[in-house]
Amino acid sequence: MVEMRASDILRSVFELNGFANIQTRGLEPLDELRRKGEITKEVYVVRRLHADASDADELGLHFDLTVPFARYVVDNAGRLNFPFRRYQIQPAWRGERPQEGRYREFWQADIDIVGESVLDFHHDAEVALVMLEACARLSAELGIAPVRMRINNRKLIQGFYAGLGVSDPLAAIQAVDKLDKIGEQGVSALLTEQGIASGEVAQILRFAAIQTSTPGFADMVRALGVGTEDLDQGIAEVDQLFQAVHEQFPDNVVVDCKIARGLDYYTGSVFELELRGNESLGTICAGGRYDSLATDGRKTYPGVGISFGITRVFAPLISKGLLVASRSVPSVVLVAVDSEDTRAQANAVAALLRSRGISCEVSPNSQKYGKQIRFADRRGIPYVWFGGVDGQIKDIRSGDQADAGADQWTPPADDMAPKILRADQ
Amino acid sequence: MVEMRASDILRSVFELNGFANIQTRGLEPLDELRRKGEITKEVYVVRRLHADASDADELGLHFDLTVPFARYVVDNAGRLNFPFRRYQIQPAWRGERPQEGRYREFWQADIDIVGESVLDFHHDAEVALVMLEACARLSAELGIAPVRMRINNRKLIQGFYAGLGVSDPLAAIQAVDKLDKIGEQGVSALLTEQGIASGEVAQILRFAAIQTSTPGFADMVRALGVGTEDLDQGIAEVDQLFQAVHEQFPDNVVVDCKIARGLDYYTGSVFELELRGNESLGTICAGGRYDSLATDGRKTYPGVGISFGITRVFAPLISKGLLVASRSVPSVVLVAVDSEDTRAQANAVAALLRSRGISCEVSPNSQKYGKQIRFADRRGIPYVWFGGVDGQIKDIRSGDQADAGADQWTPPADDMAPKILRADQ
């Protein structure tokens, strides 16, 4: 129930911002999945239990929602209006070793904006702001911690590395991306293995250490004495993105030059979000700009997007019992049953309540009233109805009981739907 | 958008009737999936692309939502309150040859009620009625044809077959289940292969031909001259179910003795629904009673449920263009942009509209107003906003334009969300 409520909130924010829903199939041709960088080893391959030679298609389960979306855009380009804005809330799969915070099957909520040949830079700020708005709603309504968004830019990184003469910038990026896991020494060793001289390794680590929540970051980068055209463009983009986000969420954004994202399709802005005070949960939301992921060979569809990890955020809160529903069922009312002979009367009461939007269920048995009340209590159902259409309603929390007509009685608004509560607040 | 609207309607009806939502994982241990009858050959097996010897788990994608739900009940029996009512709206997968009306990946919406050791028979009627209510809502709001529910009962069938001395009733049921596909001659041949004598084959076919929408079916069965205790109980159950459903949906229910369902876990009532006047679409919804599917060896959790095929119903209507959305995006308003220098002002207008629940998007560019209006028109967005918070709103369908404040202006209720329209009505 908690994850569904979270999905509802995300969907509501995305739709308020004009994003249209699409669904893509979970099974994709394996070739589509296989060429998109580091992830390959974790892809799940799928075949029929009794496959035969005529099963030519190799299929796999998608490991994110960006790669299938890029395929969708290329397949449907003729029917779409660009820039095309969509959201997608679906499961994805990775062949992970089971461990804390890693899931084989996990729900994600993605927004992306894709253009035809061009996509203005202001959309980078737009997807960042929409996701921060969604996170603020999740904080307010479900009590998750406030977020910190770390931003960086691939042009900035690659421009810096190019200025240092690094020959394989993507390999260096993937090494630096492991900084939090293996530390400076580990990354240093990886970079040295890649043939990068110790002076340049030191510069890469100095660059990766830049982190600031003030607009002064450009000077910090320039102080390292490296200058290329890509670097300048990267600085300009980070500046523009930081200012747009900082203006609306001054406490939630940091420029962090070590953020790179492992996936090789990012070409500009990159985002990573964590929960403040809950950093051990890792990255709960990430994304960036991908200028050449979606292409049919002739035309390219540049995009920018960001993905919220619903399972990543909520599964630990649920399993630790920190988020609980005020009741386990949607029912506001249990309609009691006198005897099996009058079950039809109870059904009629329930039908009238439902016709006015009041969720209810009819008692499965006609045991003593005390037992039926305990049945409601165990599920957290707040009200029990006795008698026919002109009957009585009992609030089992207070014990109050009063005459009521099933065509008129309405519960307080606060009781209409189950509430999600923080157990520790 | 159509399938999401359908899911929203189904969810709303299920929750009004007190069903709680659960999700189960798409990947299940293969052993769980493999033992549940005819389906085995269509199960998708899943392994990591670079699997190694330590990958002991064999996994498969679930092929329906009933089998995973049975596993869920057994795994969580200690924490659940019985009878437990849940709905589940998720994709399922079958390794089908691609052909009209068959999908490798399809969405289903299931409701089930499961008891601990016992489950009263009135729940069979309850799930049937809730699904018929949901179908009526889908007819009213999305224009699908009215449904016909065919009901039968495994006890009735097995009691009849036992009376005839058929040694493997399940094999006979699976043969009769093919009646619509291979005709009487085909079924007759299959039954003969099973060693059933020609007189009994004729009786089986006479029994399977019984079909009526009046309560007189018991006499039609008894006229065949076969009598067993199971048969009597089957007749009583069909009678009770038929009357309960017929009372509320007199035009939508038929007793049909050929309905059997291929899956071997059904033990009592079975349901199949089709769209009236659209029978070529096949079974769009099906289910039944399963008294021994969910068991931990010591305790059994009898259940009854019914499953609506969202993809089965809506994919053909969408692909034929029969169901279309009144606009392709949720946005009610496009906020025009004068120039890139005033984009922040347009963003402020949009934020105010959204704070009052009005979905909108800001123009991606600052081209001439005529081009921005065409941008809205191509997406079906009905309104364009010009200027700042105190600006002007234009209804681009009528051309009317008027002063408006972004903190006050509200569109007519009818324009708030995209509508789903039948193209042929």
Side-chain angles (χ1 to χ4, degrees):
Chain A
M1 198 181 297
V2 173
E3 284 169 292
M4 182 173 250
R5 189 67 61 90
S7 296
D8 286 345
I9 291 170
L10 290 161
R11 174 180 168 186
S12 145
V13 173
F14 299 161
E15 292 192 350
L16 276 175
N17 283 276
F19 289 81
N21 178 252
I22 70 163
Q23 294 263 358
T24 61
R25 54 184 190 250
L27 288 178
E28 289 277 339
L30 201 53
D31 288 343
E32 288 286 331
L33 299 174
R34 159 175 263 169
R35 285 169 308 194
K36 313 295 178 179
E38 270 219 314
I39 200 72
T40 309
K41 60 181 179 301
E42 296 167 358
V43 169
Y44 273 123
V45 182
V46 169
R47 64 181 166 77
R48 294 197 308 142
L49 189 52
H50 295 191
D52 55 41
S54 68
D55 285 27
D57 265 12
E58 280 217 274
L59 298 170
L61 288 166
H62 62 214
F63 55 84
D64 73 5
L65 304 179
T66 311
V67 171
F69 174 58
R71 180 199 54 74
Y72 176 91
V73 167
V74 171
D75 287 356
N76 295 282
R79 302 191 297 113
L80 300 176
N81 290 308
F82 294 98
F84 176 61
R85 309 150 69 79
R86 82 85 178 81
Y87 74 94
Q88 207 167 331
I89 302 181
Q90 281 184 252
W93 292 266
R94 291 187 190 180
E96 302 265 11
R97 301 307 165 113
Q99 55 171 301
E100 170 104 41
R102 296 282 174 171
Y103 304 90
R104 294 198 292 224
E105 179 169 341
F106 50 94
W107 282 76
Q108 297 202 170
D110 282 37
I111 49 172
D112 288 85
I113 304 175
V114 166
E116 194 174 22
S117 305
V118 291
L119 182 72
D120 286 350
F121 184 75
H122 60 77
H123 293 296
D124 290 38
E126 185 175 8
V127 297
L129 288 168
V130 171
M131 194 54 89
L132 285 169
E133 186 185 332
C135 290
R137 280 275 304 277
L138 292 171
S139 288
E141 296 182 32
L142 297 181
I144 69 165
V147 296
R148 179 185 298 114
M149 175 179 275
R150 300 178 184 275
I151 62 171
N152 197 10
N153 190 296
R154 280 285 181 94
K155 287 175 195 155
L156 179 68
I157 306 171
Q158 298 195 356
F160 188 83
Y161 290 1
L164 293 176
V166 172
S167 59
D168 185 351
L170 187 60
I173 282 172
Q174 288 175 349
V176 172
D177 193 48
K178 301 192 168 75
L179 203 49
D180 282 343
K181 276 184 208 149
I182 61 176
E184 289 211 346
Q185 265 192 317
V187 172
S188 186
L190 285 176
L191 293 172
T192 305
E193 269 172 39
Q194 290 173 17
I196 300 171
S198 63
E200 280 67 41
V201 169
Q203 282 281 67
I204 287 175
L205 291 173
R206 259 177 239 128
F207 173 75
I210 293 175
Q211 188 179 315
T212 175
S213 54
T214 64
F217 98 100
D219 296 338
M220 299 165 82
V221 172
R222 291 200 206 281
L224 297 178
V226 178
T228 64
E229 204 174 299
D230 261 8
L231 183 82
D232 289 341
Q233 202 190 335
I235 287 177
E237 288 191 2
V238 172
D239 241 350
Q240 190 179 336
L241 177 62
F242 178 80
Q243 283 182 32
V245 176
H246 190 261
E247 191 173 41
Q248 293 194 41
F249 293 92
D251 300 329
N252 302 81
V253 58
V254 179
V255 178
D256 186 340
C257 290
K258 77 167 181 295
I259 299 303
R261 307 299 303 145
L263 292 164
D264 61 5
Y265 51 67
Y266 292 117
T267 55
S269 304
V270 285
F271 317 106
E272 275 190 21
L273 281 79
E274 61 194 355
L275 294 177
R276 278 156 53 192
N278 214 338
E279 286 80 0
S280 64
L281 210 56
T283 299
I284 58 137
C285 189
R289 176 85 174 200
Y290 46 92
D291 275 339
S292 33
L293 175 63
T295 176
D296 57 11
R298 287 167 303 131
K299 209 177 255 183
T300 296
Y301 302 89
V304 62
I306 188 161
S307 170
F308 184 93
I310 297 176
T311 303
R312 170 69 70 101
V313 171
F314 290 99
L317 292 171
I318 297 164
S319 72
K320 286 177 192 147
L322 291 177
L323 282 182
V324 290
S326 61
R327 55 183 188 257
S328 65
V329 293
S331 311
V332 192
V333 177
L334 176 76
V335 182
V337 174
D338 285 325
S339 77
E340 287 307 320
D341 298 337
T342 59
R343 176 169 296 280
Q345 171 187 294
N347 286 338
V349 170
L352 262 177
L353 293 172
R354 285 178 195 133
S355 72
R356 298 187 296 109
I358 300 164
S359 174
C360 58
E361 56 191 278
V362 174
S363 175
N365 57 55
S366 49
Q367 295 175 322
K368 286 187 185 145
Y369 281 162
K371 285 199 175 176
Q372 295 190 45
I373 291 170
R374 276 198 296 283
F375 176 96
D377 192 38
R378 273 197 302 276
R379 288 159 176 76
I381 300 174
Y383 297 94
V384 177
W385 190 279
F386 299 105
V389 168
D390 292 310
Q392 291 211 310
I393 189 89
K394 183 188 193 78
D395 182 333
I396 64 172
R397 297 161 299 188
S398 65
D400 293 346
Q401 188 163 338
D403 289 345
D407 51 352
Q408 290 190 324
W409 178 84
T410 301
D414 212 37
D415 284 333
M416 277 295 273
K419 280 192 289 292
I420 308 297
L421 309 166
R422 278 292 295 218
D424 53 348
Q425 282 170 2
Chain B
M1 198 182 294
V2 173
E3 282 168 293
M4 184 173 247
R5 189 66 61 88
S7 296
D8 286 346
I9 291 169
L10 290 160
R11 174 180 169 186
S12 146
V13 173
F14 299 160
E15 293 192 350
L16 276 175
N17 282 277
F19 289 81
N21 176 253
I22 69 162
Q23 295 264 356
T24 60
R25 55 185 189 249
L27 288 179
E28 289 276 340
L30 200 53
D31 288 343
E32 288 286 332
L33 299 175
R34 163 174 263 167
R35 287 167 309 193
K36 313 294 178 182
E38 269 220 314
I39 200 72
T40 309
K41 61 180 179 298
E42 295 167 0
V43 169
Y44 273 123
V45 182
V46 168
R47 63 180 166 79
R48 294 197 308 142
L49 189 53
H50 294 190
D52 54 42
S54 67
D55 284 27
D57 266 11
E58 278 215 274
L59 298 171
L61 287 166
H62 61 216
F63 56 83
D64 72 5
L65 304 179
T66 312
V67 171
F69 174 59
R71 179 200 53 74
Y72 176 91
V73 167
V74 171
D75 287 355
N76 295 282
R79 302 192 295 112
L80 300 177
N81 289 307
F82 293 97
F84 176 61
R85 312 149 66 79
R86 80 87 176 81
Y87 74 94
Q88 208 167 330
I89 302 181
Q90 281 185 250
W93 291 265
R94 289 185 192 181
E96 302 266 10
R97 301 308 164 115
Q99 54 170 299
E100 171 104 39
R102 296 281 174 172
Y103 304 91
R104 293 198 292 225
E105 178 169 341
F106 49 94
W107 282 75
Q108 297 202 170
D110 282 37
I111 49 173
D112 288 86
I113 304 176
V114 166
E116 193 174 23
S117 305
V118 292
L119 181 72
D120 285 351
F121 184 75
H122 61 75
H123 293 295
D124 291 38
E126 183 176 9
V127 297
L129 288 168
V130 171
M131 194 55 88
L132 285 169
E133 185 185 333
C135 291
R137 280 275 303 275
L138 292 172
S139 289
E141 296 183 32
L142 297 182
I144 69 166
V147 295
R148 180 184 300 114
M149 175 179 275
R150 299 178 185 276
I151 63 171
N152 197 10
N153 191 296
R154 281 285 181 94
K155 288 175 196 156
L156 180 68
I157 305 171
Q158 298 194 356
F160 188 83
Y161 291 0
L164 293 176
V166 171
S167 60
D168 184 352
L170 186 61
I173 282 173
Q174 288 175 350
V176 173
D177 193 48
K178 300 192 169 74
L179 204 48
D180 283 342
K181 275 184 208 150
I182 61 176
E184 289 211 347
Q185 265 194 314
V187 172
S188 186
L190 286 176
L191 294 172
T192 306
E193 270 172 40
Q194 291 173 18
I196 301 171
S198 63
E200 281 67 40
V201 169
Q203 283 282 66
I204 287 175
L205 290 173
R206 259 177 239 127
F207 173 75
I210 292 174
Q211 188 179 314
T212 175
S213 54
T214 63
F217 98 100
D219 296 337
M220 299 165 83
V221 172
R222 291 199 207 282
L224 297 178
V226 177
T228 64
E229 204 174 300
D230 262 8
L231 183 81
D232 290 341
Q233 202 190 336
I235 287 177
E237 288 193 0
V238 172
D239 241 351
Q240 190 179 336
L241 178 62
F242 178 80
Q243 283 181 33
V245 176
H246 190 260
E247 190 173 41
Q248 294 194 39
F249 293 92
D251 301 329
N252 302 84
V253 61
V254 178
V255 178
D256 186 340
C257 290
K258 76 169 182 294
I259 299 302
R261 308 298 305 145
L263 293 164
D264 61 4
Y265 51 68
Y266 292 117
T267 53
S269 303
V270 285
F271 318 105
E272 275 190 20
L273 282 78
E274 61 195 355
L275 295 177
R276 279 157 51 194
N278 214 339
E279 287 79 0
S280 64
L281 210 56
T283 299
I284 58 137
C285 189
R289 177 86 173 199
Y290 45 92
D291 273 340
S292 35
L293 175 64
T295 176
D296 57 10
R298 287 167 304 131
K299 207 177 259 181
T300 296
Y301 303 88
V304 62
I306 189 162
S307 170
F308 184 92
I310 298 177
T311 303
R312 170 68 69 102
V313 172
F314 290 99
L317 293 172
I318 297 165
S319 72
K320 286 176 191 148
L322 291 178
L323 282 181
V324 290
S326 61
R327 56 182 190 258
S328 65
V329 292
S331 311
V332 194
V333 179
L334 176 76
V335 182
V337 174
D338 286 324
S339 76
E340 288 306 320
D341 298 336
T342 59
R343 177 169 295 279
Q345 172 189 293
N347 286 339
V349 169
L352 261 178
L353 292 172
R354 285 178 195 132
S355 73
R356 295 186 300 109
I358 301 164
S359 174
C360 59
E361 57 191 278
V362 174
S363 175
N365 57 54
S366 49
Q367 295 175 323
K368 285 186 185 146
Y369 281 161
K371 286 197 174 178
Q372 295 190 45
I373 290 170
R374 276 198 296 283
F375 176 96
D377 192 38
R378 274 196 301 275
R379 287 161 177 76
I381 301 174
Y383 297 94
V384 177
W385 189 279
F386 300 104
V389 169
D390 292 310
Q392 291 211 311
I393 188 89
K394 182 186 193 78
D395 182 334
I396 64 172
R397 297 160 300 188
S398 64
D400 294 345
Q401 188 164 337
D403 288 345
D407 50 353
Q408 291 188 325
W409 178 84
T410 301
D414 214 37
D415 285 332
M416 277 297 271
K419 280 192 290 290
I420 307 297
L421 309 166
R422 278 292 296 218
D424 54 347
Q425 282 171 1

